[in-house]
Amino acid sequence: DPDPMAGFTAQYLNMWQLNIAKEEPGEPLTTPDLWDLLEADLERDAPIVGAAIESWFGKGVTLGLAHKTTTGLHLTAHDFPTLAQAVEALGTLDSRCKVKVGATLYDDPAVRVLGGRAEPAQGKAAAVAHDLGRHILEGTFTHSGDPYLSEQILKLRTKPAPDGPRLVSKNRADAVKAVMWAFTIAHTRKERRKRM
């Protein structure tokens, strides 16, 4: 019994606490204050250096983009009802960068439009979120403060497990995965250029 006194008063004194606030399980990915510190305006004509597309169990599709700015990488996320619309939106942008596509979406005919630019992306949402949380702490990117992305980031909760972090929140996390995959493409490209 986590609270023996409360159990005693309820069972023997018939005094029940009916309005107990339930604590959410797990740890939040970040705090609203820390997330707000990374907010910045996207520079005009900032080139897209990474893109990714992911869905969340038929609830929508996210197009995540990484833009190269004078201060570093800037992440944005865009919500679409269907995969075809997300691919079409990406096609209208002036970008020839690689595109990571969620493994469950990769074989969809709509993805063929991307040709050789598309590559399958895999990874559990919790592991991707863990990496994103680390980059938030390090301040390695900025974001536009878009409510769609911010809501998913701030509602995400994980719990440590023997085989790595486990997702315990029931909310969508497709934007989290998409922006992290886009960031990874851009970051890898940057590191490769440094080595050259």
Side-chain angles (χ1 to χ4, degrees):
D1 187 355
D3 190 349
M5 265 324 280
F8 173 80
T9 56
Q11 294 296 326
Y12 294 100
L13 302 178
N14 202 23
M15 295 167 60
W16 299 86
Q17 292 180 346
L18 301 177
N19 296 327
I20 299 172
K22 285 190 179 178
E23 214 176 283
E24 286 191 70
E27 293 293 319
L29 183 67
T30 187
T31 64
D33 292 339
L34 194 55
W35 181 245
D36 290 345
L37 280 175
L38 298 176
E39 189 174 332
D41 291 330
L42 177 60
E43 295 171 6
R44 258 186 101 189
D45 302 322
I48 297 166
V49 289
I53 299 172
E54 178 63 313
S55 68
W56 194 257
F57 306 107
K59 291 185 179 177
V61 178
T62 296
L63 170 62
L65 300 171
H67 304 263
K68 184 182 176 188
T69 67
T70 53
T71 57
L73 294 175
H74 186 93
L75 304 181
T76 59
H78 310 275
D79 187 26
F80 295 94
T82 65
L83 174 61
Q85 287 173 311
V87 171
E88 187 182 340
L90 180 59
T92 62
L93 300 171
D94 183 24
S95 169
R96 295 299 306 155
C97 67
K98 290 230 175 265
V99 183
K100 284 192 179 268
V101 180
T104 56
L105 305 174
Y106 186 71
D107 292 326
D108 193 287
V111 176
R112 289 192 197 126
V113 176
L114 299 171
R117 294 171 57 198
E119 55 186 46
Q122 290 183 338
K124 291 181 179 178
V128 173
H130 182 72
D131 288 343
L132 184 59
R134 184 172 47 84
H135 286 292
I136 290 171
L137 283 172
E138 293 170 2
T140 51
F141 65 85
T142 56
H143 64 89
S144 300
D146 175 53
Y148 170 67
L149 176 60
S150 297
E151 183 182 359
Q152 286 197 25
I153 295 275
L154 295 174
K155 283 187 174 181
L156 200 74
R157 299 181 76 86
T158 60
K159 201 175 193 177
D163 58 341
R166 197 165 47 91
L167 201 64
V168 291
S169 51
K170 305 287 186 224
N171 306 302
R172 281 178 68 172
D174 49 321
V176 176
K177 291 172 82 173
V179 295
M180 189 58 203
W181 289 339
F183 173 84
T184 303
I185 291 172
H187 201 60
T188 305
R189 182 176 159 180
K190 188 176 162 188
E191 290 300 315
R192 198 178 296 131
R193 280 190 177 163
K194 270 186 190 173
R195 282 198 298 271
M196 288 175 76

